Amino acid sequence: MTPALVSAPRSVLPLRHLPVLWAALLVAVLGGCAELPKNVQRPVSTALETTAGTALATQVQERRAAASGRFESGFLLLSGPQAAYGSRLALVEAAQKTLDLQYYAIHADASTERLLRSVVAAARRGVRVRVLLDDFNTSGADAQVMRLAFEPNIEMRMFNPVAGSRDSSLWRMVIALSDFSRVQQRMHNKLFIADNAMGIAGGRNLGDAYFGHDTSGNFVDLDVLAAGPIVKDLSRSFDSYWNNERAYPVQSLITRKELDALRASAASVEEVDETPTESSSPPEAAPSPVTTASAAAAAAAAAPNATTALDALEAQRSRVWDRKPLNLAAARFVWAPAVVPPWPATRRLRPSSATRMLSRKWSSSLWVMSDCTG
């Protein structure tokens, strides 16, 4: 008798579905291994209550009196990179009591290095600094901006963190897929406030591409320098995000030793001396809280006379150092009634409702009645 032929069992899933299955399994495994810290301590803090006696508050009063302004809040459009960069430098250098920075992205490059050196110097002269940064773009070299949290007199919190290693943006995104509904809710607010007397709101993050220094392309954007009572409204918005349960102190997410390891890993790819020369930094410059290895590589493509990445980096730094602080004493403000649209404090909402409110970016919205200027 001829033996019966027994057919092999068919696969439950077609072979073309196997990559999807493996990807789903990988996301589940990585997502289960990466979790955010629990029981995190978030000391509540708020903006400076009174601006009286600060140099910036005095300048606001003087500029308003000189313009015979009928209204208490003043506004100055910052349309070009020079004004946008110089105004931020001016606020840092003029700050005497507080600096509050809130951004979606802070990139570790030459422009940011110049600003953050000034921020660290301000902290060392006694200015209380709070930095609130969305956590979506803090992997690789950009993770080094988190070093600010380990400087005296500086607090730094990451908004809605992405769990997992910061070595690679790709792997962070893979891990994020396991918690996509939460991770995709980002904070795009952009504020730069000094002494609760003057502040900048607008579309620029911090980095070369926002200040005309990127070698591959730059953003064209608009900011506004605000002065007077309207700044207190901006600060209230900042405080709502700062004290929100989604804002995690950097120390709860990463250690200084881990940041050192990340920087060492980047340096092994391309060795760059980070010590600035006398020609590229002012005498009082504080140690840089960021690494600029990636900036050197980018600058090399645009510096035909540079024989090394270090030469290109120094050339880029010299351009940034040439950016002078804006002369606030000569600023021509427009004095007008204005309001930051009110919104409920997120900590009092259910998580789903809070998320919808956070996505609206109220803190960067200024309603100004320009036809009533005085």
Side-chain angles (χ1 to χ4, degrees), residues 37 53-54 56 116 118 126 146 150 169 175 177 214 263 301 314 325 370:
T54 64
L56 286 174
L116 296 189
S118 298
M146 299 170 75
F150 301 94
S169 298
I175 294 173
L177 292 176
D214 195 271
R263 185 159 66 175
E314 292 302 332
S370 58

Side-chain angles (χ1 to χ4, degrees), residues 262-277:
L262 283 175
R263 185 159 66 175
S265 176
S268 66
V269 177
E270 181 176 3
E271 292 292 335
V272 175
D273 182 3
E274 292 188 274
T275 304
T277 63

Side-chain angles (χ1 to χ4, degrees), residues 78-145:
L78 307 170
S79 58
Q82 175 66 54
Y85 196 81
S87 58
R88 288 168 170 83
L89 280 178
L91 291 186
V92 174
E93 294 186 1
Q96 294 176 309
K97 294 187 177 181
T98 62
L99 277 171
D100 290 334
L101 281 62
Q102 181 180 14
Y103 281 95
Y104 171 68
I106 300 179
H107 300 292
D109 52 32
S111 297
T112 299
E113 181 185 30
R114 169 69 168 100
L115 280 171
L116 296 189
R117 282 178 179 271
S118 298
V119 169
V120 171
R124 291 182 179 179
R125 67 173 184 263
V127 176
R128 183 200 71 178
V129 179
R130 297 185 296 174
V131 181
L132 181 59
L133 177 62
D134 187 272
D135 194 43
F136 194 73
N137 296 287
T138 53
S139 58
D142 288 338
Q144 296 302 317
V145 300

Side-chain angles (χ1 to χ4, degrees), residues 282-311:
E284 70 276 9
S288 173
V290 301
T291 179
T292 53
S294 59
N305 297 325
T307 57
T308 66
L310 177 58
D311 293 333

Side-chain angles (χ1 to χ4, degrees), residues 49-276:
E49 291 187 7
T50 175
T51 63
T54 64
L56 286 174
T58 300
Q59 281 193 341
V60 172
Q61 295 172 355
E62 291 175 349
R63 300 312 302 158
R64 182 189 174 203
S68 299
R70 289 188 295 145
F71 302 99
E72 295 182 335
S73 294
F75 305 90
L76 176 66
L77 290 180
L78 307 170
S79 58
Q82 175 66 54
Y85 196 81
S87 58
R88 288 168 170 83
L89 280 178
L91 291 186
V92 174
E93 294 186 1
Q96 294 176 309
K97 294 187 177 181
T98 62
L99 277 171
D100 290 334
L101 281 62
Q102 181 180 14
Y103 281 95
Y104 171 68
I106 300 179
H107 300 292
D109 52 32
S111 297
T112 299
E113 181 185 30
R114 169 69 168 100
L115 280 171
L116 296 189
R117 282 178 179 271
S118 298
V119 169
V120 171
R124 291 182 179 179
R125 67 173 184 263
V127 176
R128 183 200 71 178
V129 179
R130 297 185 296 174
V131 181
L132 181 59
L133 177 62
D134 187 272
D135 194 43
F136 194 73
N137 296 287
T138 53
S139 58
D142 288 338
Q144 296 302 317
V145 300
M146 299 170 75
R147 288 181 173 276
L148 283 172
F150 301 94
E151 290 287 340
N153 220 24
I154 297 180
E155 291 183 80
M156 186 174 186
R157 296 183 182 181
M158 311 304 294
F159 195 84
N160 201 15
V162 179
S165 173
R166 298 178 185 273
D167 293 272
S168 166
S169 298
L170 177 61
W171 281 113
R172 287 190 90 204
M173 293 306 97
V174 171
I175 294 173
L177 292 176
S178 64
D179 194 12
F180 183 75
S181 63
R182 179 189 66 83
V183 172
Q184 60 89 26
Q185 298 153 3
R186 307 316 315 169
M187 179 195 73
H188 286 266
N189 307 48
K190 304 168 185 72
L191 291 173
F192 203 112
I193 303 172
D195 288 344
N196 208 9
M198 288 191 189
I200 299 170
R204 287 183 175 89
N205 290 296
L206 301 185
D208 286 343
Y210 298 93
F211 300 115
H213 283 297
D214 195 271
T215 58
S216 59
N218 293 280
F219 293 102
V220 177
D221 224 315
L222 185 68
D223 293 322
V224 60
L225 173 61
I230 190 65
V231 179
K232 295 183 178 180
D233 291 338
L234 296 177
S235 291
R236 278 191 286 270
S237 175
F238 178 94
D239 288 343
S240 293
Y241 282 86
W242 177 262
N243 295 309
N244 187 263
E245 62 183 7
R246 294 198 177 192
Y248 285 68
V250 165
Q251 289 86 345
S252 70
L253 301 171
I254 195 168
T255 65
R256 190 165 191 165
K257 185 176 181 180
E258 289 171 326
L259 285 172
D260 289 341
L262 283 175
R263 185 159 66 175
S265 176
S268 66
V269 177
E270 181 176 3
E271 292 292 335
V272 175
D273 182 3
E274 292 188 274
T275 304

